[in-house]
Every structure is written in C-alpha cells, then in structure tokens.
Amino acid sequence: MATGFEAITPEQRDEFQREGIVLIRGALSEEHRERLEAAVDRVYADERALGRLRPDGTLHMLGFLDRDEEFGELLTHPQTFPFVWGLAGWNIYSHHNHLDVTPPAPPSEQPPAWGWHQDGYRQNSDPEVLAGDQPRPMLSLKVAYVLSDLSRTGRGATKVVPGSHLHNTLDRTPDGTDPRGTVEITANPGDAFVFDRRLWHSRSVNRSAVTRKMLFVGYTYRWIRPLDDMPLDTTGEWWANRTPVQRQLLGEATHTANHWGVNWDGYIDEKIPLRHELQSRGLLDRSIPWLR
Ligand SMILES: O=C(O)CCC(=O)C(=O)O
C-alpha cells in the first residue's frame, strides 16, 4: 500500500518540469472522496449559517486544513505527496491552502473577467532583478483535489497553459478570450493535479448545473512566510492526531533557516521530520539539490 514515501520516477519529474503540471487520475478512492466532500459540505453549511458566503453562494476559504479531521491527512496524501517532496524537497510547509465551493453562476451577458495569473504575487516582481530573462524560480507548488465532476467543460474548472511556467509574462488577448494553448482540466471526481506556481492559470466560470467543489493545498519553503491566517491550536485533538511530518507541514518550527534550534554545524537537519523520514527510507538523493 502506498505510503507517500515512494519516489517519483525521472519521467514524472521531467513531465512536471516540462509542462508545469501533472494530472493524477484516481488519486482519491471513491470512499475517501465522499468523506472529503461530506466534510466540505459541513464547512459550507457552517459558513452559510454564519453569513460568510459571498452573495452568489461561493465559498473561497483560506487556511481550511484545521476545519476537519479529514483535511489534515491531505497534507501527506499517499498519491500526491511523492510529487510534493520529489519536486520541492524536504524543507517545506503549507503556507497557503484553500477550500472552494462554486455554485452555478447566474446567467450573464458579460464576458468573464481576465483571471490569468501566476501565483506568488510579489515573487513575480521582487526577484526580477535577479531573474532577468530567465524563468523565475518555482518557490511553491500546489496540489488540487477535484471532489465534484469536472469531466465536462464549462463546470468552472481550472484552465492552464501547459509549459507556460517557463515564461515570465503572458500576453492578454485583445478580446479577452483564453490565451493560445489553453487547456481546461476536465477531471473526474477523485482526480488530483499538482502544478508549479508559475504556471499561468485561471479559474473559469461555472456555467453548468453542477456545484464545483475543490481543495487546494500549497507548499513552499520554510523560509517563506505564510500567506494564510491559520493560527494553529496545538492543544486540541486535531493537532494531537497529526504526525511529526504533518506538523512540520503545518509550520511547526522554531527557526526558519535551520529548524528546531540554530546549530550551524549542519547536523540539526537530521531532526527535520520530513528529511529524517526520507533519510530513514533511503530517499535522499545527492544528485537532486532539494533532496540532499
Ligand atoms: O480555482 C481555481 O480553479 C484556480 C485557483 C487558483 O487560481 C489558484 O489556486 O491560484
């Protein structure tokens, strides 16, 4: 049975580095998908009762992981986690995660607003002096879990331009239509995809009768500050149920450079849970800088 500590293949790494995205069909078993959807429905009902939905019924909740026991386990999901550490390394945590419920949009004559972007906000401007014409560094990636049926177009799925992560700019089309090379990710319930934050992507309008439900878990380096306001209650049952690796991924640390104390002899790295786990399983790889 998969544990999340199986190395991705060189071909999978090449595909991600070439396309900026990989689609993982059937990442969630149907039984697991149902449990996650039920948890999303509970959160949605709670937020509706609190009057915190958008006027059109949309919920875009940041920092959702500690809202349900089911969500905490996603941090190290066996089918997706190998891509996370295999592509980003061990010095990571989740700086940003969101739960999205997107009901059918009301009919509109207006063209949709231009939503194409790379993630990272100032990460796309501040390092420009260093990057020049070179692609900027990845810095973060995101795992998206598809809970509703997005197998047909028009259901509000994420659109991407594969390979566009290596381009620092994207030309806006004169008529506001999608850029050349656009692919709408028509995924089945239970599929997941992992994407490089530089990949140009956009949410689309849900013109169907099916409510879109998705979960996104972003990971970045521990030396980058959190994006979401997710104060962790480390006294409750939810926290007690998390593994040391999951706690690292939730931001547990005393120091961002060298973790759990400052010790410049380097050996402190051994205490970082994800590195320790990879090392004990023989998964560190000196030929890959982020897995050294
Ligand atoms: O909701 C989506 O399909 C896209 C989400 C998005 O833009 C993002 O995760 O940065």
Side-chain angles (χ1 to χ4, degrees):
M1 207 163 80
T3 61
F5 293 102
E6 293 75 27
I8 57 170
T9 63
E11 291 74 24
Q12 287 171 316
R13 181 173 294 111
D14 287 351
E15 179 188 344
F16 181 84
Q17 290 181 336
R18 187 178 64 248
E19 304 292 329
I21 184 165
V22 286
L23 177 62
I24 306 168
R25 293 280 186 197
L28 304 171
S29 67
E30 177 52 16
E31 183 264 334
H32 191 193
R33 188 205 64 77
E34 281 173 14
R35 279 191 280 123
L36 287 168
E37 184 173 21
V40 167
D41 290 346
R42 283 194 294 276
V43 170
Y44 188 82
D46 290 348
E47 292 298 300
R48 183 171 48 201
L50 291 165
R52 295 204 292 224
L53 303 182
R54 293 186 184 162
D56 63 359
T58 296
L59 176 61
H60 176 58
M61 174 183 281
L62 303 179
F64 75 96
L65 288 174
D66 61 351
R67 289 292 294 255
D68 200 285
E69 179 57 34
E70 293 292 343
F71 300 147
E73 291 298 310
L74 282 183
L75 280 163
T76 50
H77 189 278
Q79 301 301 329
T80 59
F81 196 49
F83 288 88
V84 174
W85 60 261
L87 296 164
W90 46 262
N91 199 29
I92 56 170
Y93 79 113
S94 179
H95 63 312
H96 174 51
N97 46 81
H98 47 105
L99 174 160
D100 286 273
V101 177
T102 317
S108 167
E109 299 293 310
Q110 299 295 320
W114 180 264
W116 288 90
H117 64 282
Q118 296 179 303
D119 288 342
Y121 185 43
R122 292 297 301 178
Q123 288 175 352
N124 298 307
S125 323
D126 294 343
E128 195 71 2
V129 66
L130 302 177
D133 290 337
Q134 298 297 311
R136 292 183 278 258
M138 177 172 77
L139 296 180
S140 75
L141 48 71
K142 237 181 203 175
V143 182
Y145 296 92
V146 178
L147 302 184
S148 57
D149 187 352
L150 297 179
S151 60
R152 298 201 192 154
T153 58
R155 294 186 170 181
T158 313
K159 291 180 174 180
V160 301
V161 180
S164 62
H165 58 305
L166 302 178
H167 301 279
N168 291 345
T169 58
L170 179 77
D171 287 335
R172 201 180 267 240
T173 54
D175 54 359
T177 51
D178 291 328
R180 197 146 49 96
T182 294
V183 172
E184 182 168 341
I185 304 175
T186 45
N188 297 316
D191 290 348
F193 53 93
V194 185
F195 64 102
D196 181 318
R197 67 130 196 125
R198 300 168 297 175
L199 188 74
W200 288 90
H201 61 283
S202 175
R203 180 181 291 205
S204 61
V205 179
N206 184 0
R207 300 206 186 280
S208 74
V210 182
T211 293
R212 180 184 92 137
K213 296 176 192 172
M214 291 193 67
L215 299 170
F216 292 83
V217 184
Y219 301 81
T220 196
Y221 296 103
R222 292 179 44 259
W223 36 267
I224 292 176
R225 289 168 64 152
L227 196 58
D228 302 339
D229 184 19
M230 199 175 76
L232 284 173
D233 174 7
T234 58
T235 60
E237 195 185 330
W238 188 89
W239 182 263
N241 289 342
R242 303 282 68 83
T243 64
V245 170
Q246 289 170 349
R247 290 181 185 186
Q248 171 188 330
L249 296 172
L250 289 160
E252 185 184 57
T254 54
H255 196 281
T256 60
N258 219 348
H259 217 272
W260 283 283
V262 184
N263 177 348
W264 299 109
D265 64 10
Y267 292 110
I268 202 83
D269 280 355
E270 312 304 327
K271 296 199 176 130
I272 299 181
L274 180 50
R275 188 177 194 281
H276 179 77
E277 196 70 45
L278 297 179
Q279 185 177 42
S280 67
R281 293 166 185 263
L283 292 167
L284 295 179
D285 182 343
R286 288 210 63 78
S287 70
I288 300 173
W290 53 92
L291 287 178
R292 276 180 199 151

